[in-house]
Amino acid sequence: MEMASSTKFRTSKKERKTKETDIHMFLNIDGMGKSKIDTGVGFFNHMLEGFAKHGFFDLNLQCNGDLDVDSHHTIEDCGIVLGKAIKEAIGDKKGIKRFGSCMLPMDETLVLCAVDLSGRPYLVFDGEFTIPKVGDFDTEMVKEFFYAISYAAEMNLHIKVIHGSNNHHIIEAMFKAFARSLDEATTYDERITGILSTKGSL
Ligand SMILES: [Mn+2]
C-alpha cells in the first residue's frame, strides 16, 4: 500500500517490540481512509478499519501478539502505539481546531465522543457491555484501548453511550465517533494563526 511521505502530510512511523507484542505502524492523519490492518483479532481489525475510514486517516498496522494468552496485550499495546503515533503526527498543534466531537448513531445505538488535544491525558468512559466477547475481542478491552490512547496521545477523551443494546454496534459506534472527533480536532482552521490556547501552548 502506497503511503505519502511528503512533509505536507502529518505522519508517524512506529515500531514497538516486547515479549508480548511486536507492532509496526504507519499513520497519516492527512490521509484518505485507507488501511491495511492485521492484529490477529478479526473484530479489532474491523474496528480499526472503521477508525481509519471515518477519520480519513491512512493506517498500516501489523501486530504479532501473544493471542495464545488472550487479546489483552494486543489491544492495549496497539492503543499505546496508536496514541504515540497520533501525538507525533500532530506535532506542534499550530493552526488546528484542537477540539472535536461527534454524536454517532448506529441503528439502535447512539454514542457521544469528545476530544481535546490538550496535552493533558484524561479518559472519561461511560459504557457497559452485556457480553464478554465479540468474536475473539474481549469487550472489557474497549476501555483499556481508549485509556491507552488518551494517555499516549496526551488527549482528553470522553466517550459516552447514550443508547445501545447490541455490543457490536456500541463498540463500532465508539470507534467511528472517536475517528470523526479526532478528524475534527486535527483539522486546520485558517483563522487560527498559532496554537489555540490562551496559555500559548498545549
Ligand atoms: Mn460492524
Side-chain angles (χ1 to χ4, degrees):
M1 172 178 187
E2 57 167 312
M3 279 291 180
S5 58
S6 161
T7 50
K8 73 175 184 162
F9 294 113
R10 292 169 291 175
T11 65
S12 174
K13 190 164 183 269
K14 292 275 176 216
E15 292 180 4
R16 181 181 191 270
K17 185 173 168 58
T18 69
K19 287 177 181 171
E20 296 170 345
T21 58
D22 184 2
I23 296 172
H24 296 256
M25 181 181 292
F26 179 85
L27 172 70
N28 175 10
I29 58 172
D30 297 308
M32 297 291 285
K34 294 181 288 185
S35 62
K36 187 174 175 211
I37 293 167
D38 182 7
T39 66
V41 181
F43 183 74
F44 191 37
N45 295 345
H46 179 44
M47 294 302 99
L48 291 169
E49 286 160 7
F51 165 77
K53 173 70 76 177
H54 293 282
F56 298 93
F57 309 122
D58 292 338
L59 180 63
N60 277 6
L61 169 60
Q62 173 79 45
C63 176
N64 296 309
D66 56 356
L67 295 174
D68 54 314
V69 177
D70 64 9
S71 68
H72 191 114
H73 302 135
T74 291
I75 295 166
E76 183 174 47
D77 291 0
C78 285
I80 292 169
V81 175
L82 181 56
K84 287 183 173 171
I86 290 167
K87 178 177 156 56
E88 183 174 276
I90 290 170
D92 63 11
K93 303 180 187 172
K94 275 187 188 142
I96 64 169
K97 289 184 172 179
R98 170 186 171 181
F99 295 100
S101 62
C102 177
M103 188 80 87
L104 194 126
M106 189 166 182
D107 296 347
E108 90 297 342
T109 291
L110 184 64
V111 167
L112 167 71
C113 179
V115 164
D116 177 12
L117 300 173
S118 59
R120 300 190 305 276
Y122 204 105
L123 173 71
V124 177
F125 185 91
D126 183 4
E128 284 175 12
F129 304 105
T130 53
I131 53 176
K133 278 177 176 284
V134 178
D136 291 332
F137 181 101
D138 297 290
T139 52
E140 68 174 6
M141 290 310 299
V142 178
K143 182 179 178 182
E144 302 304 319
F145 174 77
F146 286 114
Y147 178 85
I149 289 204
S150 66
Y151 265 74
E154 297 175 11
M155 69 168 71
N156 183 192
L157 174 59
H158 286 249
I159 296 174
K160 181 177 177 62
V161 178
I162 309 295
H163 295 295
S165 58
N166 181 284
N167 290 260
H168 184 127
H169 288 164
I170 293 170
I171 299 168
E172 189 163 336
M174 287 177 172
F175 275 76
K176 288 176 178 172
F178 173 59
R180 288 184 64 96
S181 300
L182 185 63
D183 183 43
E184 182 184 6
T186 55
T187 297
Y188 289 110
D189 183 328
E190 62 186 16
R191 296 171 298 176
I192 304 168
T193 52
I195 293 167
L196 187 58
S197 166
T198 52
K199 276 202 305 267
S201 70
L202 290 171

